[in-house]
Amino acid sequence: MPSPSTSPPEPAPLPPPKLYDIREAPTYATSSTTTWDDSYKNNSEIAIVIDNGSWQTRAGFSHDHLPRLTCPPMVSKYRDRKAQKTYTVVGNDVFADPNSRGQAKTPFDSNVVSNFDQMETLLDYCFIKLGVGEGGGGVGHPVVMTEAVCVPGYNRKMMSELLFECYNAPSVIFGIDSLFSYDYNNGKTGLVMSAGHTATHLIPMVDGKGLVNLSTRLNWGGSQSADYMLKLIQLKYPGFPAKLQSWQAEALMKDHCYVSPNYKEEVANYLRPETLLEKDRIIQFPFTETIKVEKSQEELDRIAERRKESGRKLQEQAAKVRLEKLIKKEQELAFLKTLQARQESDSKRDFKRLLEQNDFRDEAALEKSIRELDKTIRRARKQDVGPEDDAANNAPPTFPLLDIPDEELSDDSKKMKRHQKLMKSNHEARLRAKAEKEAERQRQEDLERADAAKREADLPAWLSTRHAARAAVLTKIKDRTRLRNELSDRKSLASQMRMKSIANLASDSPPSKKRRRGPNVPGSGATGGGGNGGGGGDDDNFGANDDDWSVYRNITMGTNSDEDEEDNELAKELKVIEDQLLLHDPDFDRNDTQEAKSDWRSSLLHAFTRGAREHDVDDQAQANQIHLNMERIRVPEVTFQPGMAGLDQAGVIEIAGDILLERISDQSVRENILKDIFLTGGGVAFKGFDERVRREMREITPAGSEIRVRRAGNVLLDAWCGAARFAKMEKGGWVTRGMWEEAGGEYILEHRLGNAF
């Protein structure tokens, strides 16, 4: 059995942490170095393909292998006061100037265009970059444009009007971006799961045609995930010295998040030290290192000597102050006992009047004060009463002037007599303290012998009493800590009531009898309410602002010595009980002690915020670090469990199960769809997304079902590439200008990759 003094083994040294730098501010190239074939500009049969996304706009010709233009759909209009001109900046150029960046707006509301004036400006930018429409006669090319699933008819009407009337497009076709991506990856029958910037859609495909009427939308996408990451980090590090930008949160999400194969199981083990060392990512933000002035060994020795001398003087002063307080408390205790003794000789009315004159409500309050004062004196006598304790073992000091009347002494002798009187009081106090210590030591030995006898007689019962005593001490410590925290908060009820009591004590006249009949404030000795006057309705609102709070702090400063002594007593008592349990309880080890639990190695909060290593508060590098651990799996998990982020919708797996098992009745079609679950969009780029979908789809489908899950070759660009290939190969579905003028703005021709009526 290990002894209580045995220290736990030192843990093995950890490898140096791997730091990850935060991304630099995004820079957007305004020109491309790629050489393009400009012969397409003069061929009116080559279509212009525009992937009109809410995160990025991509534009190019249908015969290009990649889009020629990729830019954020941002439009900024601002006034330059110096030049007295109004500038319009679009796309990548928005981020080049702080003025334009501050006025940047997007034409999208979620994934649907809502501001067509800004949309027109964005299309102007795209066509200028493509080099078409320079003559003013329109773009002169057919236009293929992506749109949202189940886009409103008004939105398509306005977009068609913009393309036909403003840009004089000969023909236009609209299609769904995720279906273009699926078609580009040679899909025929399957389930398309598209996680976009503002929403996630699930669309079944049968024989190359999208069943849009069976599609379902989840209102969660990349923008919501980035905002969720930002809120989690701000909540985790409220006092972080650097301001975290939204693009930084998006970068952290893309670089470090992944989808957990089993979220509940991984969360249960994530903050364990061995797991945390592997999973925790330390993000280092830029910081300025503070320069520490190195001192020589001689200077350090002189500083240490000065500190030692200062400490000795402080100890002497503290011992003197404790002794003076002890003498005053003994005198006060003697007075209170004398007052209590008068209860036998005085009548009840006279004794009650005497109690009121000394600020006591009744005999119980007097007895309580005597009991608490006696307890305080006993506790003070246990401590060292001064550095001259050894002198008490020598010959007792003499005080000859105390027996001589003051009339026979000179002025100097009277001063010496007062000094000898104080010295005599000190000497008697030391003797009483010594006797008290000896009696306390004897009492402790008797208690230890009795405790040992109980332990030998019935060990289980003795252990039960020790555990109960330990629980009681811990409860006291927690209650005192909670009360101290409440008193440090100026808005807490305890602080407000205490400041009201201070206001009563500081008032010129006592509070009215009406207020005296109110509830008592615990520990204050005064009744609730405040005010400078004694009127029943007067209240000066003391404690309503921060100035009153600073006064309150100054009043309470330096008055908590008794509380500190009681805290020390509780800590010593807890240490004694835990040492006994370590010796005699085989089920109680050092990891169960309060000291081990308060260690940073056992703190879940430390593991969550600072990882598996000790945190140095003076290190500027560590002060500018963010630890990503639980957030790495929590942010992508919202797609599968939207309730985690407060979204009242089903997850993608539940939606997929509802589409396959409830809405599609044909068994053969259902089996074919399960053989090709297609993932596209930036939200599926997380590591482990396809494995998680495959595992959970297997759990909700009938046993023996064949399930295949695959990703798009390029989850971001395949939508544009699919639209470009569709424009080259598909001949139907085009709406010409004549058809639009005849049938109306909302008219479309249905095709296999577009929305239906």
Side-chain angles (χ1 to χ4, degrees):
M1 188 73 63
S3 63
S5 59
T6 304
S7 59
E10 289 292 331
L14 299 178
K18 182 180 179 181
L19 302 181
Y20 295 84
D21 293 330
I22 191 69
R23 284 189 189 181
E24 297 290 337
T27 56
Y28 299 92
T30 57
S31 61
S32 176
T33 57
T34 305
T35 302
W36 302 99
D37 187 1
D38 290 337
S39 62
Y40 304 151
K41 298 179 182 180
N42 301 322
N43 189 345
S44 60
E45 296 181 358
I46 303 299
I48 296 176
V49 181
I50 300 177
D51 183 7
N52 193 27
S54 58
W55 180 57
Q56 281 187 342
T57 299
R58 302 177 181 90
F61 292 98
S62 59
H63 284 51
D64 294 332
H65 62 285
L66 290 174
R68 297 193 179 195
L69 172 67
T70 300
C71 67
M74 305 296 291
V75 178
S76 176
K77 293 184 179 181
Y78 69 98
R79 178 83 175 172
D80 190 338
R81 295 183 179 180
K82 293 183 179 180
Q84 294 296 317
K85 293 182 179 179
T86 300
Y87 293 96
T88 301
V89 186
V90 187
N92 298 320
D93 300 331
V94 166
F95 301 95
D97 183 78
N99 294 326
S100 62
R101 187 165 56 245
Q103 300 295 326
K105 294 181 176 61
T106 176
F108 287 87
D109 181 8
S110 184
N111 59 345
V112 176
V113 178
S114 60
N115 191 322
F116 284 90
D117 290 336
Q118 294 178 355
M119 190 69 220
E120 181 180 353
T121 306
L122 180 61
L123 289 177
D124 286 342
Y125 179 80
C126 295
F127 292 139
I128 290 174
K129 289 295 183 179
L130 294 179
V132 297
E134 298 177 355
V139 294
H141 294 267
V143 177
V144 179
M145 181 174 287
T146 62
E147 63 180 4
V149 181
C150 299
V151 65
Y154 174 78
N155 184 275
R156 184 182 295 108
K157 172 185 175 182
M158 295 298 294
M159 187 64 70
S160 300
E161 181 180 338
L162 189 63
L163 292 175
F164 283 120
E165 291 193 353
C166 183
Y167 298 105
N168 198 22
S171 58
V172 175
I173 191 169
F174 296 98
I176 301 174
D177 51 358
S178 56
L179 301 188
F180 282 137
S181 177
Y182 183 65
D183 183 70
Y184 184 73
N185 287 270
N186 301 318
K188 295 296 182 183
T189 300
L191 180 65
V192 179
M193 188 179 297
S194 172
H197 183 59
T198 57
T200 299
H201 292 91
L202 284 84
I203 309 172
M205 292 279 292
V206 177
D207 296 331
K209 178 178 176 58
L211 305 181
V212 184
N213 58 320
L214 299 181
S215 64
T216 304
R217 168 190 171 118
L218 171 64
N219 295 322
W220 188 266
S223 62
Q224 293 89 343
S225 297
D227 292 340
Y228 190 51
M229 170 67 84
L230 180 62
K231 292 177 182 178
L232 290 178
I233 296 177
Q234 290 174 342
L235 183 64
K236 187 175 182 178
Y237 300 98
F240 193 68
K243 181 180 179 181
L244 196 67
Q245 305 292 334
S246 57
W247 59 265
Q248 291 176 325
E250 183 178 354
L252 293 176
M253 177 191 69
K254 292 180 179 179
D255 295 342
H256 303 287
C257 288
Y258 67 95
V259 175
S260 173
N262 191 324
Y263 181 75
K264 291 184 178 179
E265 180 179 342
E266 189 165 356
V267 163
N269 302 318
Y270 214 100
L271 294 182
R272 292 184 178 179
E274 59 275 7
T275 306
L276 199 60
L277 281 175
E278 177 187 359
K279 303 290 187 180
D280 189 50
R281 294 285 181 90
I282 305 176
I283 314 301
Q284 182 66 66
F285 280 73
F287 67 96
T288 302
E289 186 65 66
T290 56
I291 301 176
K292 297 182 179 179
V293 180
E294 297 291 339
K295 297 181 179 179
S296 63
Q297 187 62 36
E298 296 180 358
E299 293 176 335
L300 295 176
D301 294 340
R302 286 197 298 269
I303 293 174
E305 186 64 27
R306 286 198 299 269
R307 288 180 178 175
K308 185 177 180 181
E309 182 65 21
S310 299
R312 186 185 63 79
K313 292 181 179 180
L314 289 174
Q315 289 177 355
E316 294 178 357
Q317 294 175 1
K320 184 178 179 180
V321 171
R322 287 199 304 268
L323 181 59
E324 293 176 354
K325 287 184 177 181
L326 180 60
I327 294 173
K328 291 181 179 179
K329 290 178 180 179
E330 288 178 345
Q331 294 174 352
E332 184 179 356
L333 180 61
F335 171 76
L336 295 180
K337 287 184 177 179
T338 303
L339 188 65
Q340 189 180 32
R342 294 186 60 176
Q343 183 178 6
E344 303 295 333
S345 59
D346 295 353
S347 62
K348 290 186 177 181
R349 179 179 298 177
D350 294 340
F351 185 70
K352 185 175 182 181
R353 187 182 300 111
L354 185 62
L355 290 177
E356 291 179 353
Q357 291 176 357
N358 290 276
D359 296 330
F360 290 107
R361 182 179 302 169
D362 50 20
E363 296 86 348
L366 176 62
E367 184 179 354
K368 180 180 178 182
S369 298
I370 293 176
R371 186 168 58 252
E372 291 179 352
L373 193 57
D374 183 67
K375 181 180 178 182
T376 303
I377 292 174
R378 289 177 180 274
R379 190 187 304 119
R381 283 176 179 172
K382 292 180 183 179
Q383 296 184 355
D384 186 10
V385 293
E388 301 177 2
D389 209 15
D390 294 337
N393 298 326
N394 301 328
T398 59
F399 310 100
L401 295 179
L402 297 182
D403 299 330
I404 303 175
D406 292 344
E407 294 80 5
E408 302 177 6
L409 298 176
S410 62
D411 293 340
D412 293 339
S413 299
K414 290 180 181 179
K415 293 181 180 179
M416 184 63 68
K417 180 180 179 179
R418 288 194 295 269
H419 179 68
Q420 288 185 3
K421 187 177 182 179
L422 179 61
M423 294 298 295
K424 182 181 179 181
S425 299
N426 292 348
H427 178 67
E428 293 175 352
R430 294 177 189 279
L431 293 179
R432 287 193 299 269
K434 186 176 180 180
E436 189 72 25
K437 285 184 177 180
E438 183 64 24
E440 181 66 21
R441 185 183 63 80
Q442 187 65 34
R443 189 177 68 87
Q444 290 295 334
E445 290 179 356
D446 295 341
L447 290 176
E448 290 177 1
R449 285 193 294 268
D451 189 68
K454 292 180 180 179
R455 184 177 66 249
E456 293 175 358
D458 190 354
L459 180 60
W462 180 85
L463 290 177
S464 177
T465 58
R466 291 290 85 192
H467 280 289
R470 178 176 179 270
V473 174
L474 288 175
T475 301
K476 289 182 181 179
I477 293 175
K478 291 179 180 178
D479 290 343
R480 291 178 63 84
T481 303
R482 177 183 53 80
L483 181 60
R484 190 179 293 111
N485 293 335
E486 289 182 356
L487 291 176
S488 64
D489 181 12
R490 68 172 292 266
K491 296 184 180 298
S492 66
L493 179 61
S495 294
Q496 295 292 331
M497 295 178 68
R498 193 167 184 179
M499 285 191 286
K500 291 287 186 182
S501 301
I502 294 173
N504 282 340
L505 295 175
S507 62
D508 296 334
S509 59
S512 64
K513 294 182 178 180
K514 181 179 180 181
R515 290 189 179 274
R516 284 180 180 171
R517 288 195 294 267
N520 293 332
V521 179
S524 65
T527 56
N532 289 331
D538 295 336
D539 191 350
D540 62 354
N541 295 325
F542 182 83
N545 54 46
D546 292 335
D547 294 336
D548 300 337
W549 178 246
S550 61
V551 173
Y552 164 73
R553 285 206 306 259
N554 293 333
I555 292 174
T556 57
M557 186 177 299
T559 61
N560 296 327
S561 58
D562 294 340
E563 296 181 4
D564 295 339
E565 292 174 4
E566 188 168 350
D567 290 341
N568 294 334
E569 288 295 325
L570 290 175
K572 291 178 182 178
E573 184 179 355
L574 179 63
K575 185 69 168 58
V576 171
I577 296 175
E578 290 182 341
D579 288 346
Q580 292 176 343
L581 292 175
L582 287 173
L583 278 174
H584 303 288
D585 189 355
D587 297 329
F588 188 86
D589 56 16
R590 187 161 295 277
N591 293 328
D592 297 326
T593 62
Q594 186 66 16
E595 181 181 359
K597 291 182 178 180
S598 60
D599 188 22
W600 65 268
R601 297 179 183 86
S602 304
S603 174
L604 286 179
L605 182 61
H606 182 279
F608 179 58
T609 56
R610 299 301 175 186
R613 295 174 175 84
E614 188 175 3
H615 177 64
D616 185 4
V617 294
D618 297 327
D619 189 357
Q620 289 297 318
Q622 295 187 30
N624 288 271
Q625 289 176 357
I626 283 178
H627 291 253
L628 293 182
N629 34 64
M630 298 293 295
E631 299 82 9
R632 296 185 62 197
I633 60 175
R634 185 173 182 178
V635 173
E637 186 66 21
V638 180
T639 307
F640 299 90
Q641 302 183 56
M644 294 176 54
L647 195 63
D648 189 16
Q649 284 188 264
V652 290
I653 302 302
E654 296 175 77
I655 295 175
D658 179 70
I659 293 175
L660 294 174
L661 304 179
E662 301 295 336
R663 305 183 191 182
I664 298 178
S665 58
D666 193 327
Q667 181 68 22
S668 60
V669 174
R670 181 187 305 160
E671 292 177 354
N672 291 332
I673 291 178
L674 286 174
K675 292 179 182 179
D676 190 12
I677 299 178
F678 180 76
L679 309 179
T680 185
V684 304
F686 294 115
K687 180 181 177 182
F689 195 99
D690 45 355
E691 289 83 358
R692 174 71 175 273
V693 171
R694 183 182 298 108
R695 185 180 67 83
E696 294 204 1
M697 287 298 297
R698 186 174 290 110
E699 293 176 357
I700 65 173
T701 52
S705 300
E706 183 179 358
I707 300 176
R708 297 175 187 171
V709 180
R710 64 186 179 114
R711 291 192 190 187
N714 189 318
V715 294
L716 297 178
L717 295 180
D718 278 4
W720 185 92
C721 296
R725 191 174 78 165
F726 181 84
K728 290 188 294 185
M729 301 179 61
E730 195 74 17
K731 301 303 180 183
W734 293 90
V735 178
T736 63
R737 182 181 179 89
M739 297 167 62
W740 172 75
E741 291 175 347
E742 180 180 354
E746 299 181 6
Y747 176 73
I748 62 170
L749 285 178
E750 292 188 18
H751 59 90
R752 57 189 183 88
L753 303 181
N755 285 295
F757 282 104

